[in-house]
Amino acid sequence: MQDTLEASAPQARALVLDWLASQQQAMQDLLQKVVNIDSGSRDEAGVTAVAHALAERLQAAGVPVQFEAVPGYGVLLHAQVNAAGEGAPIVLMGHMDTVFPAGTVAKRPYREEAGRAFGPGVADMKSGLVLNVFVAEAFARCGGLKAPLHLFFSCDEEIGSPATRDLIMDRVRGARAVFNAEPGRVSGNVVTSRKGSMLVEFEVEGVAAHAGINHAAGASAIEALARKTLALHALTDPATGVTANVGVVHGGVVSNMVAPHARAELDLRFTADTNPEDLLARVRAIIEEQSVPRTQGRITVARSTLPMKPTPDYLLALYQESARTLGFEVQGEFTGGAADSGLTASVGVPTLCATGPVGGHPHTEREYCELTTFVPRAQAVALAVLGHP
């Protein structure tokens, strides 16, 4: 390996591309391994198992790996290639948690069909993690890097990074660039800006009463919640990019009791032009309003993910030129989905998102990864890293 590390830049470039071109089956094998590990958010054991599966591959190639415990969520994975390189690092980023509960793998494990891979988290974003691992390994084996290259994989992105957001911003602050391997769009495009998201959990207290004997004595928390839901959904405004969705509701005790309690979870999406504090204030006013007499609502949890500010033109152009060299075209696009790329962009680090393999239908049973995009998109990231000033 030491001989290849001394190779000239053009030689190293060719070695990196050729080595990645030879790794299609190995990429699929590692993808199968990590997809077949349940790793929903807050599944400490599952997320940690994914981290160790990825680390085994890196360590076998001589890449040093560190784990950082995040109690209640799992671990962060840190790895570094060319640590003694010049100046600030380039960061390859991803998250190891998925939206799927324990037991999902047993019901629908990894499978391949007609050039696509299926399974929980296969696109969002275990294929992106695998891609980043192989890019790092390619440089460890073939050399060519000028700057240090860091891998940073988090463990709680799917629930808004409550435990890691400050760590992420601290780790990337001052980096040359971040490539976040969320799945490439169905079109093949990368993502150059994203909406932010806000999760608001709230509850409503009512007054219990027998629904038949003494209905008027009660105050229904469910009715109040229903009225609040309508008001919250009315915050949706296509003109400003704000969307509001009450997606989870619980309430009541039995059907013949006026409900004394109800609770719900609200998802909000917004652009960089929206002031999240003002938006939260509007939400709070709706929730705390006495929408039914003698009921009272309150917010119990509120956490947000920042919008991703637009990718600098030069970084998109660098990736596009890398892709063009490999024979495919990409554009940058905006998406309503939030990601940790919003955190990295917020601290001024040039960030490009959705550099992972192309995938579709994330967060559903139909989620898939286009396996033929693994190698070329890994090569594109590698060329962009090599070409970054």
Side-chain angles (χ1 to χ4, degrees):
M1 187 181 299
Q2 187 60 40
D3 291 340
T4 61
L5 291 175
E6 301 297 332
S8 68
Q11 289 174 322
R13 178 180 183 277
L15 287 169
V16 166
L17 294 181
D18 289 347
W19 185 83
L20 286 170
S22 71
Q23 296 302 304
Q24 178 72 46
Q25 188 58 54
M27 292 176 178
Q28 291 175 216
D29 291 345
L30 184 55
L31 180 62
Q32 179 174 1
K33 186 174 185 177
V34 294
V35 168
N36 280 340
I37 301 171
D38 285 317
S39 61
S41 303
R42 298 191 178 92
D43 182 345
E44 286 187 83
V47 169
T48 301
V50 169
H52 280 277
L54 298 170
E56 286 176 8
R57 178 85 200 189
L58 291 164
Q59 291 167 330
V63 178
V65 177
Q66 292 182 321
F67 302 111
E68 182 177 355
V70 184
Y73 300 90
V75 298
L76 304 177
L77 184 152
H78 304 274
Q80 195 164 258
V81 180
N82 194 36
E86 302 172 3
I90 294 172
V91 181
L92 305 183
M93 197 166 76
H95 64 85
M96 298 177 287
D97 61 318
T98 75
V99 299
F100 299 102
T104 304
V105 166
K107 295 176 181 176
R108 48 183 189 91
Y110 179 91
R111 66 182 176 87
E112 296 177 8
E113 181 180 335
R116 289 179 170 178
F118 298 84
V122 68
D124 187 13
M125 61 174 291
K126 290 184 175 179
S127 58
L129 299 172
V130 171
L131 181 149
N132 281 349
V133 164
F134 274 81
V135 171
E137 182 178 346
F139 285 120
R141 292 182 178 279
C142 305
L145 286 172
K146 293 177 290 184
L149 183 70
H150 290 186
L151 267 67
F152 179 74
F153 296 162
S154 68
C155 56
D156 60 346
E157 189 269 356
E158 291 292 4
I159 53 174
S161 306
T164 63
R165 59 176 47 238
D166 291 337
L167 292 170
I168 291 168
M169 292 187 285
D170 288 343
R171 296 296 186 275
V172 304
R173 191 173 276 109
R176 295 188 190 202
V178 167
F179 295 93
N180 190 32
E182 291 281 355
R185 306 296 91 176
V186 173
S187 62
N189 287 346
V190 290
V191 169
T192 50
S193 59
R194 288 180 176 271
K195 285 187 178 181
S197 69
M198 188 182 302
L199 171 66
V200 178
E201 299 179 13
F202 64 98
E203 62 184 16
V204 182
E205 295 296 334
V207 179
H210 192 291
I213 297 173
N214 203 17
H215 186 278
S220 174
I222 289 178
E223 180 184 348
L225 176 60
R227 293 177 183 274
K228 294 181 192 301
T229 298
L230 293 174
L232 291 167
H233 281 201
L235 294 174
T236 297
D237 182 2
T240 62
V242 171
T243 61
N245 179 67
V246 176
V248 178
V249 171
H250 302 277
V253 181
V254 292
S255 62
N256 63 350
M257 178 191 291
V258 176
H261 182 79
R263 56 189 173 88
E265 297 178 20
L266 167 69
D267 176 271
L268 293 156
R269 303 295 166 122
F270 53 92
T271 70
D273 295 328
T274 301
N275 183 323
E277 293 181 0
D278 290 347
L279 181 59
L280 180 58
R282 295 169 66 190
V283 168
R284 188 181 302 279
I286 292 169
I287 290 172
E288 294 183 353
E289 177 189 9
Q290 197 174 78
S291 50
V292 170
R294 294 180 293 136
T295 63
Q296 180 61 55
R298 70 181 186 95
I299 292 175
T300 55
V301 173
R303 58 177 180 264
S304 61
T305 297
L306 296 172
M308 177 187 167
K309 297 177 181 177
T311 300
D313 291 343
Y314 88 87
L315 188 57
L316 174 61
L318 176 63
Y319 183 90
Q320 288 176 312
E321 179 58 31
S322 300
R324 198 170 295 119
T325 298
L326 297 163
F328 66 100
E329 296 284 339
V330 296
Q331 301 297 322
E333 65 179 59
F334 169 83
T335 181
D340 282 339
S341 47
L343 299 174
T344 63
S346 75
V347 294
V349 179
T351 300
L352 184 65
C353 197
T355 56
V358 172
H361 301 305
H363 297 194
T364 74
E365 293 183 356
R366 297 174 293 156
E367 181 176 6
Y368 69 88
C369 169
E370 295 283 3
L371 292 171
T372 57
T373 67
F374 240 126
V375 166
R377 290 179 76 93
Q379 291 173 321
V381 170
L383 287 181
V385 169
L386 285 171
H388 196 281

